[in-house]
Amino acid sequence: MIASRRPDGYNDPEFVHLINQLYANVKKHCHAMLDLQPGMRVLDVGSDVGDDTIAFAKHEGVEVVGVESSQSLVEFANQQALEAGVADQVQHLLIEDYTLPFEANSFDICHVDRMLQHLDDPKPIMAEMFRVLKPGGFMLLAESDQGTIAFDCSQQDTWWKLLQHRNTQFANPFAGRQLFRFANMLGLDDIKVQVFPVVITDYDLASYFVQLDDLEDTLLETGQITEDDLTAWRDDINALEQESGGNGFASINVTIVRGYKPVA
């Protein structure tokens, strides 16, 4: 499977929609960088619920293909495209390995948004993206760096254990910091790199984003924290939330890399 390891929530369309909304500012920036023009053909690798592909297909004369390893997400995305009235410009396909079913040099743009973090080894699929990209075309890659998650709390030892366990749920939690190296390994030209923070200022939303309840339960069940640790952690969070008038804080960094396939 392409998605060799990803948290269960990332197979749930409702959860994916919410996460995409949290990343809305990053997505807006990436979409502007695409500068889509009539006649372009765009490949979105890891198209999940189709939020990006549908947005791309709303540009006149742009053909969009999304590939995904989850059959349920492919079906959901195709239904979304139908309801959005762009089913004639976008299709979502199921792939089960690292081979893309397209001819070489057939896309103007290859786009990835937070998919490489789910792969044990992103290099094979990136090599395939390079193969199907036209000379002079570009890749636009956006990846979270799970190791950069900040969560406002006083019980830092407990948070560090929670974060470490969360990272084990991703095949490649540090994909964001690897993008620049991967782009250079492919031989892309004119590589640009940017880092954007995603900020959440609501405690309940931040907790849902990191799936905090599941993390707490797992650490307790595996003996990594005690009942006393968990009580102290939750009491601390509640106190900080009350102190701030019901607000909380969490953030994560997203790395964006764009590079062009050399013209022979």
Side-chain angles (χ1 to χ4, degrees), residues 47 101 115 135 145 166-167 184 249:
S47 49
M115 183 277 294
D145 189 322
R166 186 178 190 276
N167 287 343
N184 278 282
F249 176 86

Side-chain angles (χ1 to χ4, degrees), residues 7-68:
D8 290 339
Y10 285 81
N11 291 308
D12 176 4
E14 181 180 349
F15 179 79
V16 174
H17 267 313
L18 174 62
I19 297 301
N20 286 344
Q21 290 169 19
L22 293 178
Y23 285 79
N25 286 338
V26 177
K27 284 182 172 293
K28 182 178 180 181
H29 180 78
C30 287
H31 291 192
M33 291 178 69
L34 294 176
D35 190 25
L36 296 175
Q37 302 295 326
M40 283 186 168
R41 193 167 187 235
V42 182
L43 175 65
D44 185 34
V45 180
S47 49
D48 56 62
V49 295
D51 286 345
D52 286 328
T53 51
I54 291 170
F56 302 160
K58 290 181 179 179
H59 289 76
E60 184 177 356
V62 174
E63 179 187 351
V64 185
V65 180
V67 294
E68 173 58 58

Side-chain angles (χ1 to χ4, degrees), residues 3-263:
S4 51
R5 188 166 72 254
R6 60 182 171 189
D8 290 339
Y10 285 81
N11 291 308
D12 176 4
E14 181 180 349
F15 179 79
V16 174
H17 267 313
L18 174 62
I19 297 301
N20 286 344
Q21 290 169 19
L22 293 178
Y23 285 79
N25 286 338
V26 177
K27 284 182 172 293
K28 182 178 180 181
H29 180 78
C30 287
H31 291 192
M33 291 178 69
L34 294 176
D35 190 25
L36 296 175
Q37 302 295 326
M40 283 186 168
R41 193 167 187 235
V42 182
L43 175 65
D44 185 34
V45 180
S47 49
D48 56 62
V49 295
D51 286 345
D52 286 328
T53 51
I54 291 170
F56 302 160
K58 290 181 179 179
H59 289 76
E60 184 177 356
V62 174
E63 179 187 351
V64 185
V65 180
V67 294
E68 173 58 58
S69 65
S70 165
Q71 180 64 47
S72 62
L73 291 181
V74 167
E75 293 173 358
F76 188 91
N78 281 328
Q79 181 60 35
Q80 289 261 98
L82 187 64
E83 294 174 2
V86 294
D88 60 334
Q89 286 184 246
V90 59
Q91 60 176 324
H92 301 92
L93 306 175
L94 181 71
I95 57 174
E96 296 182 347
D97 57 30
Y98 292 101
T99 302
L100 294 174
F102 310 111
E103 297 291 331
N105 308 323
S106 55
F107 289 93
D108 299 282
I109 299 171
C110 287
H111 173 263
V112 167
D113 179 30
R114 292 170 294 124
M115 183 277 294
L116 301 178
Q117 63 187 340
H118 302 308
L119 306 184
D120 288 314
D121 183 5
K123 291 189 287 295
I125 193 66
M126 294 188 72
E128 275 289 275
M129 290 166 60
F130 187 86
R131 180 184 67 81
V132 303
L133 186 64
K134 294 178 182 178
F138 66 87
M139 289 189 189
L140 184 64
L141 315 169
E143 282 294 331
S144 302
D145 189 322
Q146 301 298 330
T148 65
I149 294 180
F151 194 93
D152 182 27
C153 62
S154 299
Q155 303 285 330
Q156 292 295 332
D157 287 345
T158 300
W159 166 246
W160 184 242
K161 292 177 183 178
L162 291 163
L163 180 59
Q164 285 185 307
H165 177 68
R166 186 178 190 276
N167 287 343
T168 66
Q169 297 179 321
F170 292 83
N172 188 15
F174 310 119
R177 69 187 67 175
Q178 299 167 352
L179 285 186
F180 184 67
R181 170 163 52 89
F182 289 157
N184 278 282
M185 288 172 61
L186 285 174
L188 296 177
D189 286 341
D190 193 22
I191 299 171
K192 305 296 184 186
V193 60
Q194 299 171 290
V195 177
F196 280 77
V198 172
V199 176
I200 305 170
T201 56
D202 176 90
Y203 171 71
D204 289 337
L205 186 57
S207 299
Y208 184 63
F209 168 67
V210 300
Q211 303 282 273
L212 189 58
D213 288 345
D214 292 341
L215 296 179
E216 293 171 346
D217 291 344
T218 300
L219 259 65
L220 185 62
E221 291 169 3
T222 57
Q224 297 179 66
I225 59 174
T226 65
E227 290 279 4
D228 288 343
D229 292 332
L230 184 56
T231 298
W233 162 260
R234 289 176 172 169
D235 286 347
D236 169 60
I237 295 298
N238 289 334
L240 293 177
E241 188 178 11
Q242 292 178 4
E243 186 176 273
S244 64
N247 297 308
F249 176 86
S251 67
I252 185 171
N253 288 344
V254 179
T255 305
I256 300 172
V257 169
R258 183 181 65 186
Y260 291 80
K261 184 172 180 176
V263 177

